Amino acid sequence: MLKYVNTGIVFQEIPDEVTLAINISGCPCRCPGCHSHYLWEDIGLPLNTEALDDFVERFGNDITCFAFMGGDGDPKGVNILAQYLHETYPQFKVAWYSGRLRIPSNIKKTDFDYIKIGPYIRHLGPLKSPTTNQRLYRQAADGTFEDITHRFWHKIAL
């Protein structure tokens, strides 16, 4: 069962979106240098369709996207929730931040508008670092995914 610990409305996780980031516990990845060790534990409240309905009621007028931050312990559960959001609330985009190198083959990637993959590797840096191993993909109209990681690499004007 998926559980979440907290949520936050964020502006930097998904380009051009106001995102409700849902921090999912029970992370099996345990990346060295992880800034969210508390998400390794099996703690929090159930993350299910009722929780999503509550989030829509509370935050629906303020957001454009839902981001599942984690869920690698139950990828099928994340996929089911993404399907639910798209079917019930088609006005919202859906993103998934996974610490895995690949999305499992039994996951229907087209249920997500954005997918971030890759474990955090400290010396390579996060998405905002041009040396990062992590990648953020956006689904195109034809169902393919385009790498948009470069959108996090800010150029400094002199």
Side-chain angles (χ1 to χ4, degrees), residues 1-19:
M1 170 203 312
L2 289 169
K3 294 181 184 174
Y4 74 98
V5 177
N6 53 26
T7 63
I9 295 177
V10 296
F11 302 96
Q12 295 183 12
E13 296 294 344
I14 304 296
D16 306 320
E17 303 291 346
V18 179
T19 302

Side-chain angles (χ1 to χ4, degrees), residues 4-154:
Y4 74 98
V5 177
N6 53 26
T7 63
I9 295 177
V10 296
F11 302 96
Q12 295 183 12
E13 296 294 344
I14 304 296
D16 306 320
E17 303 291 346
V18 179
T19 302
L20 181 67
I22 304 168
N23 292 310
I24 301 172
S25 66
C27 182
C29 298
R30 299 189 178 344
C31 301
C34 173
H35 60 74
S36 302
H37 287 112
Y38 67 98
L39 294 176
W40 295 3
E41 299 176 44
D42 182 19
I43 58 175
L45 299 170
L47 181 57
N48 51 31
T49 57
E50 292 82 15
L52 294 178
D53 292 339
D54 182 56
F55 295 151
V56 170
E57 187 174 317
R58 287 193 289 157
F59 307 113
N61 292 328
D62 300 324
I63 63 171
T64 62
C65 183
F66 282 83
F68 297 109
M69 310 297 281
D72 291 302
D74 183 4
K76 190 65 178 162
V78 175
N79 198 165
I80 289 167
L81 293 177
Q83 289 172 336
Y84 176 78
L85 283 171
H86 273 160
E87 290 169 5
T88 310
Y89 304 105
Q91 70 270 32
F92 296 111
K93 302 279 180 56
V94 180
W96 183 18
Y97 266 44
S98 170
R100 300 290 189 194
L101 293 172
R102 290 177 191 79
I103 298 299
S105 60
N106 64 337
I107 299 304
K108 187 176 175 193
K109 289 183 253 180
T110 54
D111 287 330
F112 300 91
D113 299 288
Y114 299 91
I115 297 176
K116 187 224 64 151
I117 58 170
Y120 174 71
I121 300 175
R122 186 183 310 194
H123 73 276
L124 296 177
L127 279 177
K128 67 181 181 179
S129 171
T131 60
T132 189
N133 63 297
Q134 298 177 317
R135 291 289 175 260
L136 180 65
Y137 296 92
R138 175 180 56 207
Q139 185 179 171
D142 66 359
T144 62
F145 282 83
E146 144 187 45
D147 186 340
I148 62 167
T149 310
H150 68 277
R151 302 254 340 250
F152 290 91
W153 304 335
H154 302 290

